[in-house]
Amino acid sequence: MGRVRLADVAAYAGVSMKTVSNVVHDYPHVKPEMRQRVQEAIDALGYRPNVTARRLATGRTGMVALAVPEIDHPYFSELSRRIAEQAASRGYRVLMEQTLSEPGAERAVLRDREEGLVDGVIFHPVSTTQGELARLSRDVPVVLLGEAAIPLTVDHVMIDNVAAAREATEHLLSLGARRPVFLAAVDGDVTVSTDRRLEGFQDALQAAGVRLPSSHVLTARDFSPQASSEAVTRALDAGLDFDAILCRDDQFAVGALAALHGRGISVPDEIALVGWDDTALSRFAYPAITSVSPDKAALATTALDLLLARIGGYHGPGRHAITPHTLAVRESAPTMTEAAAAV
């Protein structure tokens, strides 16, 4: 058959079109047995609401956009899934967009959000300036993720990267490390994440009275595991004496493991290693990687809460939410007790 209409669903279920519309728009006053009856008709006929008609009727599309730098980066792919699941549980669908951190692509996300496709946008900016964000109109709500400087007018969700890096470095120091390196400063990096994590690394060293030369901040040509492996190899070739590594993310941690393994260096016996993001990479590497673990469920839930409040009519000042993080301790940097038990 052709496109299934609202009237077709009503006829199939033996109810009024108004009842079908109430179910489609998830109005709470519909009785459970009636909702089930209509939903069975929707499923049987394969009915899909017309987004344009829905917007005309309700002022909303039932869709939100999610814009991230790289959809294939493990952290963003895992976070995106969490956000999509949270959105679905609230009756929303998610449109994905990849910006590759390019200024033009990021501006397009903000410019085109008013085209009527979505009710709101969750956006992780990298290249967009604070001034550009401050000039956003409020016609379509936006919630920002990440560590960039955010104006007071915009909602923002993040973890405390400085505190997390400090805690991860303190963990390495508690294992006896006194010559850790940070992996890595990246050529042409326009993100703020690396800077925040390096700041926490330095804070922990200073508090512990550990003084290290600038050579203990390694450099990488890009954000790939290959570039990370090359950076560690260069440090080893140069004779740099280090006993631990704090990596800016799990991709770098995997690259570092490969380089150390290639040189026959044992992790964690000779060099302890901590990653970041607690992705599947860290859990299934060998040895499994201790990793800073942002609470991705809390990030997703908080971002959706703030966005739906805006969609629902909140017009107050920007809200800044810091969600929890932990350190997922595994074999690459076990606690002292775990390390002793493994001997």
Side-chain angles (χ1 to χ4, degrees), residues 32 34 44 115 156 311 341:
M34 185 61 70
E115 292 298 317
H156 180 214
I311 292 172

Side-chain angles (χ1 to χ4, degrees), residues 24-74:
V24 168
H25 296 120
D26 200 27
Y27 292 152
H29 62 267
V30 180
K31 294 180 179 179
E33 59 271 19
M34 185 61 70
R35 186 181 301 277
Q36 181 178 352
R37 182 175 171 182
V38 172
Q39 188 60 54
E40 288 174 352
I42 288 172
D43 295 340
L45 297 176
Y47 172 71
R48 295 291 180 270
N50 184 297
V51 172
T52 301
R54 181 175 183 176
R55 185 171 182 85
L56 290 173
T58 68
R60 299 179 186 174
T61 66
M63 305 182 78
V64 296
L66 173 61
V68 297
E70 302 168 62
I71 59 176
D72 60 346
H73 189 287

Side-chain angles (χ1 to χ4, degrees), residues 31-295:
K31 294 180 179 179
E33 59 271 19
M34 185 61 70
R35 186 181 301 277
Q36 181 178 352
R37 182 175 171 182
V38 172
Q39 188 60 54
E40 288 174 352
I42 288 172
D43 295 340
L45 297 176
Y47 172 71
R48 295 291 180 270
N50 184 297
V51 172
T52 301
R54 181 175 183 176
R55 185 171 182 85
L56 290 173
T58 68
R60 299 179 186 174
T61 66
M63 305 182 78
V64 296
L66 173 61
V68 297
E70 302 168 62
I71 59 176
D72 60 346
H73 189 287
Y75 170 73
F76 289 119
S77 64
E78 292 186 12
L79 179 61
S80 297
R81 176 173 177 171
R82 296 278 192 173
I83 290 173
E85 289 171 346
Q86 274 293 319
S89 72
R90 301 163 192 233
Y92 274 83
R93 297 172 62 191
V94 176
L95 292 177
M96 286 293 304
E97 183 151 2
Q98 174 176 263
T99 66
L100 297 176
S101 304
E102 296 174 354
E106 291 193 356
R107 293 189 189 104
V109 168
L110 300 176
R111 181 183 64 243
D112 297 341
R113 66 199 171 95
E114 299 178 9
E115 292 298 317
L117 290 175
V118 298
D119 299 326
V121 180
I122 299 174
F123 174 40
H124 190 292
V126 174
S127 301
T128 307
T129 67
Q130 185 173 6
E132 290 173 313
L133 294 172
R135 290 191 293 272
L136 284 174
S137 73
R138 299 192 180 187
D139 294 340
V140 176
V142 175
V143 172
L144 302 179
L145 304 174
E147 292 72 52
I150 304 299
L152 296 177
T153 53
V154 185
D155 296 327
H156 180 214
V157 185
M158 61 179 286
I159 71 164
D160 188 335
N161 275 253
V162 176
R166 186 186 305 119
E167 292 160 15
T169 307
E170 288 169 351
H171 177 71
L172 290 171
L173 295 174
S174 75
L175 301 180
R178 286 299 177 266
R179 302 178 307 282
V181 296
F182 180 84
L183 180 67
V186 181
D187 295 343
D189 186 3
V190 294
T191 71
V192 182
S193 302
T194 305
D195 292 342
R196 296 285 184 267
R197 295 167 192 181
L198 179 56
E199 181 182 346
F201 175 76
Q202 292 173 323
D203 284 352
L205 295 182
Q206 183 175 3
V210 176
R211 296 180 175 274
L212 296 171
S214 60
S215 57
H216 279 247
V217 178
L218 307 187
T219 59
R221 57 180 170 80
D222 58 38
F223 293 96
S224 67
Q226 178 65 34
S228 165
S229 180
E230 292 169 356
V232 173
T233 298
R234 283 196 305 273
L236 294 171
D237 288 343
L240 186 65
D241 183 21
F242 59 98
D243 54 10
I245 307 176
L246 174 63
C247 304
R248 78 168 305 280
D249 62 28
D250 285 346
Q251 292 199 123
F252 272 24
V254 170
L257 277 182
L260 296 172
H261 177 74
R263 293 297 181 89
I265 297 172
S266 175
V267 176
D269 296 335
E270 296 176 82
I271 294 180
L273 180 144
V274 172
W276 197 293
D277 291 333
D278 192 21
T279 61
L281 288 176
S282 66
R283 296 188 290 275
F284 292 98
Y286 182 78
I289 298 169
T290 293
S291 185
V292 173
S293 181
D295 189 334

Side-chain angles (χ1 to χ4, degrees), residues 275-335:
W276 197 293
D277 291 333
D278 192 21
T279 61
L281 288 176
S282 66
R283 296 188 290 275
F284 292 98
Y286 182 78
I289 298 169
T290 293
S291 185
V292 173
S293 181
D295 189 334
K296 302 183 190 76
L299 282 165
T301 299
T302 305
L304 262 298
D305 285 346
L306 295 179
L307 188 66
L308 295 185
R310 289 281 180 190
I311 292 172
Y314 173 76
H315 296 295
R319 296 157 294 176
H320 183 81
I322 297 179
T323 54
H325 65 270
T326 57
L327 186 66
V329 178
R330 302 189 179 94
E331 289 89 342
S332 73
T335 63

